[in-house]
Amino acid sequence: MRTLGVLTLLSAAVLLCSAAPGLEPLTCRKVNSSVAADKAVHHINEYHDHGYKFRLHEVQGNSVEQVDGGCNVKLQLDLRETKCHTINPKPFEDCEIRSELARAVKANCTVLMTIKDGDANITKYECDTRQEKTNLEMVRICPDCPVLLPLNNSEGLKSVREATAEFNKNTSNQHYYILKEVGRISTGYIMGLGMNYYPEFALVETRCPMGSRIIIEACVPLCPDRARHAFCRSSYSSQNGLLSTECEFYPAENTTALGPGEKEPVCGHHGRRHPHGHGGPPPHAHDHGGGPPPHAHDHGHGSPPPGGKGKGSFHPLRHFHPCHGFLVNPDPALHPICPWPLPHRTQN
Ligand SMILES: *[C@@H]1O[C@H](CO)[C@@H](O)[C@H](O)[C@H]1NC(C)=O
Ligand SMILES: *[C@@H]1O[C@H](CO)[C@@H](O)[C@H](O)[C@H]1NC(C)=O
Ligand SMILES: *[C@@H]1O[C@H](CO)[C@@H](O)[C@H](O)[C@H]1NC(C)=O
Ligand SMILES: *[C@@H]1O[C@H](CO)[C@@H](O)[C@H](O)[C@H]1NC(C)=O
Ligand SMILES: *[C@@H]1O[C@H](CO)[C@@H](O)[C@H](O)[C@H]1NC(C)=O
Ligand SMILES: *[C@@H]1O[C@H](CO)[C@@H](O)[C@H](O)[C@H]1NC(C)=O
């Protein structure tokens, strides 16, 4: 009897371990929509590597269709953008959601999931990412609240360049940093100061030692796992120039010191920083969805494919084509959640 008791306990422990920590496993007999939604939001954040992390606001609907050997689950999820940029190592669950007056962003996602043999897999999702209130609606609620500008707004980007130059005067840094991505740019008119710009942007540490006489913009980033990152908020007035810059630093994932005479590794454009800080990339990180691998990451339009921070990340100023143009009518002021898997591009 005693042996049996131990066995039961052991198998219960094994069952518990096989599910996500703290969550009951998903079965077709009983689809717990909050457990399913949690799995979906983890997946979405794992593949979302521009802009900000998202959190679940509400499960708006779910339906289950029984199929041979399992079931297909469809979820309608309402997500909200958090204040954590994707380079922030904080788990999305711990990130604060933006308030309405701080120009909140919502994503309405349709997620398809398959449950088979006790394994739940996301197979597809599409999201519509929008500002919670349009500029017109906001003006009525709060005429003095900031408005979001398109991410390639010239004056907004000028303020980012000045803030980055200021950042690079900090001699506590070992290396220069360059712009990785502009997260959002808000703006507002202030009496006596003219237009004010409040950009948020991500910087990445480069190979160029602090103090070297070089054109900083030409510096090449350290490999994604060896680079420190910084996330900055600054303010800039069209009349008085840069007013303030505040940054938080995120340590490199790999802080192993190089041996004597060892050079910084060459990582090419395929190095990536895994969003959850585990050793390697997750399976299918460079996969656009089960099909053949994408052609060499030659997209070069400021939006590398999900799961791959390609060369394009470092030229965010030129164009802005989120999700490689696969979205209909995206808001140019936001980093949307891209559909997954991304449809295959047949030609450039
Ligand atoms: C769904 O799962 C959550 C977390 O495991 C639990 O708190 C909740 O009671 C479950 N809901 C149902 C309807 O089983
Ligand atoms: C979310 O998207 C679904 C499917 O496109 C649509 O039916 C639904 O009305 C949308 N919900 C909201 C709140 O916009
Ligand atoms: C679900 O994903 C896991 C790991 O990615 C894989 O091993 C398994 O075969 C998948 N199951 C289904 C039903 O696709
Ligand atoms: C300068 O950089 C260090 C990290 O290298 C940081 O801790 C410090 O806050 C920065 N100082 C300013 C004024 O930004
Ligand atoms: C850290 O970087 C060094 C230098 O490139 C490399 O030899 C080492 O394997 C890396 N460690 C991990 C855990 O990736
Ligand atoms: C911003 O990007 C859009 C789309 O790529 C483009 O049409 C527009 O001209 C760009 N604006 C600026 C100021 O570069």
Side-chain angles (χ1 to χ4, degrees), residues 114 116 119-121 283-284:
T114 298
K116 223 171 202 167
D119 233 353
N121 290 47
H284 315 305

Side-chain angles (χ1 to χ4, degrees), residues 35-218:
V35 174
D38 185 76
K39 190 170 173 71
V41 178
H42 271 98
H43 185 104
I44 288 171
N45 276 304
E46 186 163 340
Y47 284 84
H48 180 63
D49 61 1
H50 288 279
Y52 301 89
K53 301 184 186 194
F54 279 79
R55 273 176 62 181
L56 181 65
H57 179 66
E58 197 183 7
V59 180
Q60 292 191 320
N62 72 317
S63 59
V64 182
E65 177 200 9
Q66 301 295 332
V67 293
D68 226 19
C71 58
N72 294 328
V73 180
K74 186 175 173 179
L75 296 165
Q76 199 68 47
L77 304 180
D78 180 6
L79 310 189
R80 294 296 148 93
E81 191 183 84
T82 71
K83 295 183 182 176
C84 294
H85 191 271
T86 52
I87 60 162
N88 188 331
K90 224 190 237 186
F92 67 85
E93 291 95 335
D94 299 340
C95 294
E96 207 182 318
I97 289 175
R98 290 182 196 281
S99 70
E100 191 173 81
L101 295 187
R103 305 311 309 243
V105 172
K106 61 181 179 185
N108 177 12
C109 298
T110 307
V111 181
L112 302 181
M113 184 185 282
T114 298
I115 302 177
K116 223 171 202 167
D117 308 324
D119 233 353
N121 290 47
I122 311 290
T123 52
K124 184 177 161 58
Y125 57 79
E126 277 175 27
C127 301
D128 186 32
T129 311
R130 299 284 156 201
Q131 297 182 43
E132 224 174 294
K133 295 260 186 298
T134 64
N135 284 341
L136 262 177
E137 287 168 331
M138 275 305 278
V139 165
R140 259 180 259 138
I141 308 171
C142 174
D144 297 327
C145 278
V147 165
L148 290 188
L149 289 176
L151 292 167
N152 63 352
N153 176 275
S154 315
E155 197 68 6
L157 292 179
K158 187 174 167 221
S159 75
V160 170
R161 276 192 297 269
E162 295 211 4
T164 307
E166 187 64 30
F167 177 98
N168 278 323
K169 290 180 185 161
N170 181 347
T171 49
S172 307
N173 296 331
Q174 272 175 30
H175 296 108
Y176 286 125
Y177 284 63
I178 56 170
L179 182 62
K180 177 171 175 57
E181 180 181 279
V182 178
R184 52 162 51 195
I185 308 172
S186 49
T187 184
Y189 185 80
I190 296 191
M191 289 287 273
L193 279 177
M195 284 311 283
N196 264 29
Y197 296 85
Y198 310 100
E200 296 184 1
F201 51 97
L203 302 177
V204 59
E205 187 181 14
T206 71
R207 296 163 174 263
C208 298
M210 185 80 207
S212 40
R213 292 167 162 265
I214 28 162
I215 301 165
I216 297 177
E217 284 75 18

